[in-house]
Amino acid sequence: MNKKDFPHSSKAVSKTYSVTELDTARKNKLRSAGASIQKFTGKSRFIEELYHKYNGELTGWLRKRFGEGPPEPHDIAHTAFEKIAALKNYEHIENPKAFLFATAINTANSAVQRIVRARQFFEAELQNVGHQVEQITPERVLEDRRQLDVVNEVIAKLPAKQREILIRSRIQGQTYVEIGAATGWSKAAISRQLNTALTTLQKALDAIEKEQDTVEEAGSK
Amino acid sequence: MTADIHDGKQNSGDLAEDIGQEAQAWLTLFYCEEADEADRHNFSEWLQRSEKHVAAFAKAEKLWDQLAFSPEMLKEPSDRQDRSFSSLLNRRGVLGAIAASIIVMIGVSIVFWQTSVTTDHYRTALGEVENIILADGTKVTLNAASYLETHISNTKREVLLRGGAFFDVVRDESRPFRVTVGGTEVKVLGTAFEVWEGPRTVRVSVVRGAVEVGEGEENAIASLVKLTAGEQVITSLDGHPGKIRSFDPKAALAWRTGHLIYIDVPLEDIVADVNRYRKKKIIITDAALGALRITTAFRVEQANKMLAGLSQSNPLIVEEKSSGVYIRPLSK
């Protein structure tokens, strides 16, 4: 097979030259599996694009929220990308950025023993009572688009203090004591505010669930 | 805290709202405060008391998880200086404490052979990943194209490794387990960890337990670094350890099930791994190209496709000859 002459350009090489083009037999086999090459390259490209697009912003945000660590922001981001790369399916992820950040948040919090142990404890207890513990994976969470939108809207409207406490406890993994030390608020007040915020959120979610039930009922008639 | 939950709520336990509040209170207790054995016992009891409690708690947990996906939660933190938080986080992490204290040790003594030493050799072929159980019960997954030599007596457990392996070491305080890879030495008591040898570096990653990584006995001074679960260190070939960092065990050990995952890894390291699974080696002709950082994930048998993909978005050409697959830089 002759080597193709192709123009050298400053841009990265286009697909004029690939391993498969030199091996006719393999090339024919792969042509029929052409779709899978697309898919494979697609995944790699997805991760690469995600990395180039968001690594900087993610690392910067982690640094602002978690400081230098340990664990270091760059390591947390790194681990988050690794986790996403390990997923079997990625095409269904509608909001890759939210997915990525949520993964990074959970990674950062997994350095906090209290949180890790709490998660494991809850999972064990729920399994114990026979509750179908659906793996709360990021993919499943993102499926509930409507709920996520509502959650987001409600948080935007919360009083600043409640939002701050919500962010510190859920995103930064802080205890009431730690939040109190950082903000000067009393532990009782913090606990009250957090619960109020969660109640507000839960009420909003219950409302749309009721809404959906009514719609389904109407639709089935 | 538990007193708060039960205060005056005995009779109103049927109201959905109150149950919801209780569920929330339990959730925040465990996530935002230090819960103890009594709390765990009481939660267990509360959960088992009614299906409604289970449903309410599952709902509360779901909301808690959803919060991490809200863009509103990512907005700028308040301007308040949060010095106390950073110091709390520093105190909490083992990473910080250990990384800050690198122990310097005078050279390790030469291996002392006893009459009752069991010596074994294991070698894997290209593409062959093998599970082995050593004389002391330690389980090893040997990576492809790798070599393992074990010397186990009743006082010592010494292992020589070329290539890569994952170790699940049986705990034995009287016999520390030592792995030597080139100039790097890894010492453990009872633990699960991986050792990976690359063209220019050795990487040690700990899944469970703790290990000490340092320069092997050839060198006069050995600097030791201690790693615990979730930590990883990369050493140069002469055993000098770099910075400790965290890693994702699932991704790092994916090779055990035939997946290879790389985030921002030098091309030469990826090629070194892939060459473990094929006869026709991939050769990078240019040193600078070998240092090119690549992000990719693929099954071992899809290496050719991976290379084809690389050539599309990187300044390189992949050329297959009878003597090997060559990766050349795309010259301008």
Side-chain angles (χ1 to χ4, degrees):
Chain A
M1 187 129 194
N2 290 324
K3 223 196 217 174
K4 286 188 185 156
D5 239 15
F6 57 94
H8 296 296
S9 64
S10 55
K11 197 170 181 245
V13 66
S14 59
K15 47 178 174 173
T16 47
Y17 219 61
S18 70
V19 172
T20 59
E21 289 194 81
L22 293 163
D23 185 341
T24 325
R26 210 186 300 152
K27 179 177 152 199
N28 287 333
K29 182 181 171 199
L30 283 167
R31 194 183 275 135
S32 63
S36 72
I37 294 185
Q38 286 295 74
K39 190 177 178 189
F40 158 73
T41 320
K43 177 179 184 180
S44 199
R45 188 172 288 151
F46 168 74
I47 295 160
E48 219 179 319
E49 277 179 7
L50 196 71
Y51 183 78
H52 289 303
K53 235 182 181 170
Y54 297 119
N55 184 49
E57 186 185 337
L58 176 62
T59 310
W61 179 82
L62 285 167
R63 182 166 289 116
K64 281 211 186 96
R65 273 294 172 196
F66 295 90
E68 285 303 330
E72 289 182 50
H74 142 86
D75 282 342
I76 299 170
H78 192 104
T79 304
F81 282 106
E82 280 187 332
K83 284 186 174 161
I84 292 178
L87 295 174
K88 286 206 182 81
N89 300 305
Y90 69 95
E91 295 101 334
H92 59 282
I93 300 176
E94 282 178 25
N95 192 342
K97 184 178 178 183
F99 190 110
L100 174 66
F101 274 75
T103 306
I105 290 165
N106 287 332
T107 302
N109 284 335
S110 65
V112 181
Q113 281 312 306
R114 179 190 78 252
I115 293 176
V116 173
R117 272 186 264 117
R119 276 195 186 280
Q120 289 170 345
F121 173 65
F122 287 145
E123 190 174 327
E125 287 295 315
L126 283 171
Q127 260 173 9
N128 220 16
V129 292
H131 178 81
Q132 188 52 15
V133 181
E134 352 171 293
Q135 266 304 334
I136 310 225
T137 60
E139 296 105 299
R140 306 235 34 203
V141 177
L142 279 176
E143 271 167 21
D144 266 315
R145 263 249 75 99
R146 182 89 173 90
Q147 290 203 346
L148 287 183
D149 289 341
V150 168
V151 165
N152 206 42
E153 279 167 27
V154 173
I155 293 177
K157 297 197 194 113
L158 287 176
K161 198 165 168 181
Q162 283 182 23
R163 187 168 47 244
E164 170 104 12
I165 291 171
L166 204 58
I167 291 175
R168 283 177 181 276
S169 58
R170 176 57 178 99
I171 305 299
Q172 293 176 255
Q174 293 183 352
T175 60
Y176 295 150
V177 169
E178 287 163 350
I179 298 174
T183 61
W185 301 327
S186 76
K187 185 181 158 242
I190 293 168
S191 166
R192 239 187 354 254
Q193 295 279 17
L194 179 60
N195 278 289
T196 307
L198 291 174
T199 303
T200 309
L201 283 158
Q202 194 61 259
K203 277 205 175 109
L205 288 177
D206 289 341
I208 54 160
E209 229 184 87
K210 227 184 222 159
E211 205 180 273
Q212 281 172 343
D213 287 343
T214 342
V215 168
E216 276 168 22
E217 265 182 46
S220 63
K221 283 190 180 128
Chain B
M1 174 66 210
T2 48
D4 291 294
I5 293 175
H6 295 293
D7 232 15
K9 287 202 190 296
Q10 261 93 8
N11 297 326
S12 53
D14 287 335
L15 286 178
E17 257 176 42
D18 289 325
I19 296 178
Q21 293 282 51
E22 284 179 7
Q24 226 170 255
W26 280 119
L27 186 96
T28 52
L29 166 64
F30 281 86
Y31 280 130
C32 308
E33 300 189 76
E34 301 291 347
D36 58 24
E37 193 53 49
D39 292 322
R40 283 192 281 279
H41 176 80
N42 290 329
F43 171 74
S44 215
E45 249 188 21
W46 174 86
L47 192 68
Q48 290 167 21
R49 208 175 305 149
S50 155
E51 258 304 303
K52 292 190 181 146
H53 293 189
V54 177
F57 186 77
K59 243 180 28 171
E61 240 201 337
K62 185 176 180 190
L63 170 57
W64 189 252
D65 279 317
Q66 286 170 321
L67 292 174
F69 289 82
S70 164
E72 274 300 319
M73 295 283 268
L74 304 181
K75 298 230 163 127
E76 292 304 301
S78 68
D79 295 332
R80 246 176 287 249
Q81 243 326 13
D82 206 356
R83 271 170 276 118
S84 54
F85 171 68
S86 314
S87 65
L88 275 164
L89 192 57
N90 278 330
R91 274 212 301 283
R92 185 186 299 141
V94 177
L95 278 160
I98 299 301
S101 58
I102 296 195
I103 310 151
V104 175
M105 201 182 87
I106 303 301
V108 185
S109 61
I110 305 299
V111 172
F112 172 63
W113 300 110
Q114 290 219 308
T115 47
S116 55
V117 172
T118 311
T119 300
D120 287 297
H121 306 258
Y122 306 91
R123 194 184 291 275
T124 46
L126 289 169
E128 178 191 21
V129 171
E130 196 175 286
N131 288 310
I132 303 162
I133 301 183
L134 304 184
D136 70 329
T138 292
K139 298 193 198 129
V140 181
T141 304
L142 195 58
N143 206 333
S146 300
Y147 172 71
L148 193 75
E149 189 181 299
T150 67
H151 305 275
I152 295 176
S153 71
N154 45 10
T155 51
K156 284 228 154 87
R157 297 185 287 174
E158 314 265 347
V159 160
L160 234 91
L161 170 73
R162 300 315 307 249
F166 175 80
F167 298 87
D168 191 339
V169 176
V170 167
R171 189 180 184 90
D172 186 349
E173 258 109 339
S174 64
R175 299 187 291 176
F177 192 99
R178 279 215 317 239
V179 183
T180 308
V181 195
T184 304
E185 194 176 280
V186 183
K187 192 167 107 175
V188 313
L189 286 177
T191 192
F193 66 102
E194 186 215 25
V195 181
W196 178 91
E197 180 190 19
R200 256 181 257 284
T201 53
V202 171
R203 187 184 70 218
V204 181
S205 316
V206 179
V207 172
R208 201 188 68 237
V211 320
E212 285 171 347
V213 181
E215 294 165 20
E217 61 218 5
E218 285 83 50
N219 304 295
I221 306 228
S223 56
L224 274 192
V225 162
K226 188 169 173 195
L227 298 178
T228 57
E231 293 177 10
Q232 179 186 77
V233 77
I234 296 177
T235 70
S236 53
L237 281 181
D238 64 355
H240 189 77
K243 234 170 25 139
I244 297 179
R245 45 185 251 176
S246 57
F247 75 104
D248 179 39
K250 267 204 226 103
L253 299 174
W255 59 265
R256 297 166 80 200
T257 54
H259 292 85
L260 297 177
I261 298 172
Y262 303 100
I263 307 289
D264 209 40
V265 169
L267 181 60
E268 65 180 8
D269 282 4
I270 299 176
V271 164
D273 270 356
V274 171
N275 279 339
R276 300 211 133 80
Y277 297 85
R278 49 195 292 144
K279 241 195 193 140
K280 200 180 227 178
K281 302 299 177 192
I282 301 169
I283 300 143
I284 307 174
T285 62
D286 178 65
L289 196 55
L292 182 67
R293 300 245 156 199
I294 303 288
T295 296
T296 182
F298 56 99
R299 283 199 56 85
V300 299
E301 58 266 16
Q302 288 182 325
N304 278 356
K305 291 179 189 172
M306 184 274 294
L307 291 178
L310 277 190
S311 67
Q312 288 181 22
S313 47
N314 289 285
L316 53 89
I317 305 167
V318 180
E319 198 183 331
E320 184 165 4
K321 300 187 173 162
S322 53
S323 53
V325 174
Y326 293 85
I327 302 180
R328 302 182 190 290
L330 173 65
S331 51
K332 296 202 172 82

